């Protein structure tokens, strides 16, 4: 889009239209101490060709995909996106119906959301799913609030192995809601400590929140945590930061989860510097009226034709504020559509096949790295495509050395876990070929890192 500035005549005409004499009068409500009166410190105007060349030079300073062999994960995953996803997503029909508020003209949007909800239910093993949350972290926070509404309790047990960003978001949501947060430690295998959970649970507990996989890539024993939580009538909230794992492992619903949330970025959405991403939210049908957001349902019209409608919308825009389950107001509809197209393309066979592909490559990388002198795998619980590595010295230094060899070797854990200064999180997806993994291991074993 071209930038077309207003000239002085344009400005005067607009001021005249709203009955204001000068531009200063328009902004007189803004205190003078807050106004910036001096000219902006901008360079002189340049020719368009020169400007584009300068922007291209700046862009080359970024490390783009393909510049590095990347083994980064920690909640955002580099998966291949078939071109057809963006092609279908770019059809103008999906842009014209912005929201599903006008069902008679938004049937395409409503159907896409309905299909998204259906796929999430199948993936998570739950009875009902809502329409597109913001991201995995805010979905997890909404799940905690929902568990508190359902149980009418305020105590929440949060796994220390849950994604740190999710934990921070949960605590931010509940900062002024008189919540009681309790940390659930993880054991030497990287999974939650069942003995500690037994001690922490009581009749005041609303929910237990764990990752699946957790922040360390570990697949938690959901059946055990579900049994312990339900002995005290607490809800089990499961946060899935890498949903591709559900193509290989049992669904949280099968293992006793009450609420399943997560991040859908793995399904057809690029990394894009961190967003926009896509949260999902699924629960048992018995708790449907406490679900945040909105539900799209399938119906027929007076002539028996198939149609889609907003079935349940307990947001503050629809019902009284004090009765609302959430103040979620926008819709990640286009991101949900991308995920829907991606999942439909892979289908019942493609998704497990891709999950096995990720799992196998991660196993290969784990075995190779564990065989390098000075490096080990501190956690031995089952993992999906992500795992923790312990090195012979500070992880930041190791990763810096790897980067000098065009390898992004992982994410250092010390910012969140100061006692893990030598540990870093490595992620392997289908995007990492065997040559990439071998080059990574060679850099570690050759002492360059």
């Amino acid at each position: 889009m071209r930038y077309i500035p207003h000239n002085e005549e344009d400005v005067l005409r607009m001021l005249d239209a709203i009955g204001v004499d000068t531009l200063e009068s328009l902004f007189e409500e803004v205190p003078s101490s807050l106004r910036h009166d001096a000219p902006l410190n901008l360079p002189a105007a340049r020719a368009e060709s020169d400007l584009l060349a300068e922007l291209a030079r700046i862009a080359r300073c970024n490390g783009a995909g393909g510049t590095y062999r990347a083994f980064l994960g920690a909640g955002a995953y580099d998966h291949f996106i078939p071109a057809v996803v963006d092609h279908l997503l770019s059809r103008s029909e999906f842009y014209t119906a912005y929201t599903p508020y006008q069902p008679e003209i938004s049937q395409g949007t409503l159907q896409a959301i309905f299909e998204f909800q259906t796929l999430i239910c199948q993936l998570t093993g739950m009875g009902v799913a809502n329409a597109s949350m913001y991201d995995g972290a805010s979905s997890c926070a909404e799940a905690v609030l929902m568990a508190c509404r359902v149980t009418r309790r305020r105590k929440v047990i949060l796994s220390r192995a849950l994604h740190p960003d999710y934990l921070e978001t949960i605590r931010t949501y509940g900062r002024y809601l008189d919540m009681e947060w309790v940390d659930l430690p993880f054991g030497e295998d990287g999974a939650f400590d069942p003995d500690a959970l037994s001690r922490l649970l009581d009749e005041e507990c609303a929910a237990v929140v764990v990752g699946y996989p957790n922040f360390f890539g570990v697949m938690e024993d959901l059946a055990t945590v579900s049994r312990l939580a339900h002995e005290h009538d607490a809800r089990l909230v499961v946060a899935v930061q890498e949903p591709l794992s559900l193509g290989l492992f049992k669904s949280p619903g099968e293992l006793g989860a009450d609420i399943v949330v997560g991040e859908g970025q793995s399904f057809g959405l690029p990394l894009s510097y961190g967003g926009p991403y896509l949260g999902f939210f699924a629960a048992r049908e018995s708790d449907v009226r406490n679900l945040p957001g909105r539900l799209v349902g399938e119906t027929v019209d007076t002539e028996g034709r198939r149609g889609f409608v907003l079935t349940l919308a307990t947001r503050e825009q629809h019902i009284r504020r004090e009765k609302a389950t959430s103040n979620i107001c926008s819709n990640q509809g286009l991101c949900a559509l991308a995920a829907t197209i991606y999942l439909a393309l892979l289908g019942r066979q493609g998704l497990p096949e891709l999950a096995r592909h990720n799992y196998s490559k991660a196993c290969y990388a784990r075995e190779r790295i564990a065989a390098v002198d000075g490096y080990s795998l501190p956690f031995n619980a089952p993992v999906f495509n992500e795992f923790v590595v312990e090195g012979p010295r500070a992880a930041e230094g190791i990763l810096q050395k790897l980067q000098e060899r065009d390898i992004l070797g992982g994410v250092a854990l010390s910012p969140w876990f100061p006692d893990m200064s030598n540990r870093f999180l490595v992620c392997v997806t289908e995007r990492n070929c065997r040559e990439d993994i071998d080059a990574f291991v060679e850099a570690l074993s050759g002492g360059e890192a």
Side-chain angles (χ1 to χ4, degrees), residues 18-335:
I18 60 176
V20 179
D21 296 332
T22 65
L23 202 57
E24 289 70 24
S25 301
L26 179 64
F27 296 111
E28 65 182 5
E29 296 298 325
V30 180
S32 58
S33 60
L34 299 179
R35 296 188 211 171
H36 183 80
D37 296 326
L40 296 176
N41 183 22
L42 296 174
R46 303 173 66 174
E48 182 178 357
S49 57
D50 293 343
L51 185 61
L52 291 175
E54 175 63 10
L55 292 175
R57 185 194 64 76
I58 296 172
R60 285 195 293 273
C61 296
N62 291 323
T67 307
Y68 294 93
R69 289 182 163 107
F71 295 87
L72 305 178
Y77 301 96
D78 184 19
H79 292 295
F80 175 73
I81 302 173
V84 67
V85 173
D86 283 342
H87 176 74
L88 293 176
L89 200 63
S90 301
R91 290 180 63 91
S92 59
E93 297 95 315
F94 295 124
Y95 289 102
T96 52
Y98 168 60
T99 74
Y101 297 135
Q102 305 85 27
E104 70 279 8
I105 59 174
S106 303
Q107 281 295 296
T109 294
L110 288 167
Q111 181 172 359
I113 292 174
F114 178 80
E115 302 290 354
F116 171 77
Q117 294 172 176
T118 303
L119 289 166
I120 293 300
C121 284
Q122 293 173 345
L123 198 65
T124 59
M126 304 303 288
V128 60
N130 73 7
S132 57
M133 312 287 284
Y134 296 139
D135 54 27
S138 55
S139 296
C140 197
E142 292 281 357
V144 168
L145 299 183
M146 176 175 163
C148 292
R149 285 194 300 271
V150 172
T151 61
R152 298 186 178 183
R153 301 173 180 176
R154 285 284 185 264
K155 176 180 174 180
V156 179
I157 298 176
L158 301 170
S159 168
R160 281 276 291 140
L162 194 64
H163 195 301
D165 292 346
Y166 288 28
L167 287 171
E168 185 176 356
T169 304
I170 292 169
R171 290 192 168 100
T172 300
Y173 264 61
R175 182 178 300 169
Y176 301 109
L177 297 178
D178 192 27
M179 309 286 282
E180 180 186 357
W181 310 120
V182 179
D183 285 344
L184 173 62
F186 51 85
E188 294 183 353
D189 60 353
F192 82 96
D193 182 343
D195 293 333
L197 179 58
S198 296
R199 291 191 298 271
L200 295 172
L201 277 164
D202 56 29
E203 307 312 314
E204 301 299 319
C205 182
V208 180
V209 188
V210 297
Y212 185 73
N214 66 24
F215 185 57
F216 305 129
V218 170
M219 302 302 296
E220 298 275 14
D221 179 3
L222 294 187
T224 297
V225 68
S226 169
R227 176 177 55 79
L228 294 173
H230 290 161
E231 286 176 357
H232 298 273
D233 292 329
R235 294 296 196 270
L236 170 57
V237 176
V238 176
V240 184
Q241 65 182 48
E242 170 51 298
L244 182 60
S245 62
L246 301 183
L248 185 61
F249 290 85
K250 279 189 175 181
S251 70
E254 291 177 274
L255 297 171
D258 299 294
I259 305 172
V260 183
V261 296
E263 173 56 61
Q265 176 268 321
S266 287
F267 298 148
L269 297 176
L271 293 171
S272 295
Y273 299 98
Y277 285 176
L278 167 68
F280 60 82
F281 196 116
R284 300 196 179 281
E285 287 184 72
S286 55
D287 292 332
V288 65
R289 297 204 68 83
N290 279 287
L291 212 68
R294 54 194 156 200
L295 296 180
V296 173
E298 183 182 23
T299 186
V300 292
D301 65 11
T302 55
E303 298 178 5
R305 296 176 300 186
R306 187 189 190 209
F308 300 90
V309 294
L310 275 183
T311 304
L312 183 68
T314 52
R315 309 181 307 151
E316 65 182 18
Q317 290 93 337
H318 294 90
I319 63 176
R320 286 184 297 166
R321 182 181 294 268
E322 64 272 20
K323 296 290 185 182
T325 57
S326 173
N327 63 357
I328 296 171
C329 60
S330 74
N331 179 25
Q332 304 287 79
L334 211 58
C335 295

Side-chain angles (χ1 to χ4, degrees), residues 253-430:
E254 291 177 274
L255 297 171
D258 299 294
I259 305 172
V260 183
V261 296
E263 173 56 61
Q265 176 268 321
S266 287
F267 298 148
L269 297 176
L271 293 171
S272 295
Y273 299 98
Y277 285 176
L278 167 68
F280 60 82
F281 196 116
R284 300 196 179 281
E285 287 184 72
S286 55
D287 292 332
V288 65
R289 297 204 68 83
N290 279 287
L291 212 68
R294 54 194 156 200
L295 296 180
V296 173
E298 183 182 23
T299 186
V300 292
D301 65 11
T302 55
E303 298 178 5
R305 296 176 300 186
R306 187 189 190 209
F308 300 90
V309 294
L310 275 183
T311 304
L312 183 68
T314 52
R315 309 181 307 151
E316 65 182 18
Q317 290 93 337
H318 294 90
I319 63 176
R320 286 184 297 166
R321 182 181 294 268
E322 64 272 20
K323 296 290 185 182
T325 57
S326 173
N327 63 357
I328 296 171
C329 60
S330 74
N331 179 25
Q332 304 287 79
L334 211 58
C335 295
L337 179 61
T340 304
I341 295 170
Y342 181 91
L343 288 170
L345 282 170
L346 265 65
R348 292 183 181 276
Q349 292 184 337
L351 194 70
E353 184 177 334
L354 180 61
R356 281 193 294 272
H357 203 46
N358 277 248
Y359 181 78
S360 299
K361 287 193 169 187
C363 288
Y364 174 73
R366 290 185 80 204
E367 291 175 5
R368 294 290 319 272
I369 292 173
V372 177
D373 284 344
Y375 290 86
S376 61
L377 308 174
F379 301 143
N380 59 10
V383 299
F384 179 56
N385 61 359
E386 211 162 10
F387 53 91
V388 175
V389 174
E390 180 156 350
R393 54 187 179 279
E396 284 87 352
I398 295 173
L399 297 175
Q400 180 60 43
K401 287 290 186 183
L402 288 170
Q403 188 170 343
E404 291 170 4
R405 298 193 61 178
D406 294 336
I407 298 172
L408 301 177
V411 178
L413 294 177
S414 56
W416 303 286
F417 303 94
D419 58 335
M420 295 187 183
S421 59
N422 287 14
R423 295 182 181 180
F424 55 100
L425 193 61
V426 177
C427 179
V428 182
T429 75
E430 79 279 5

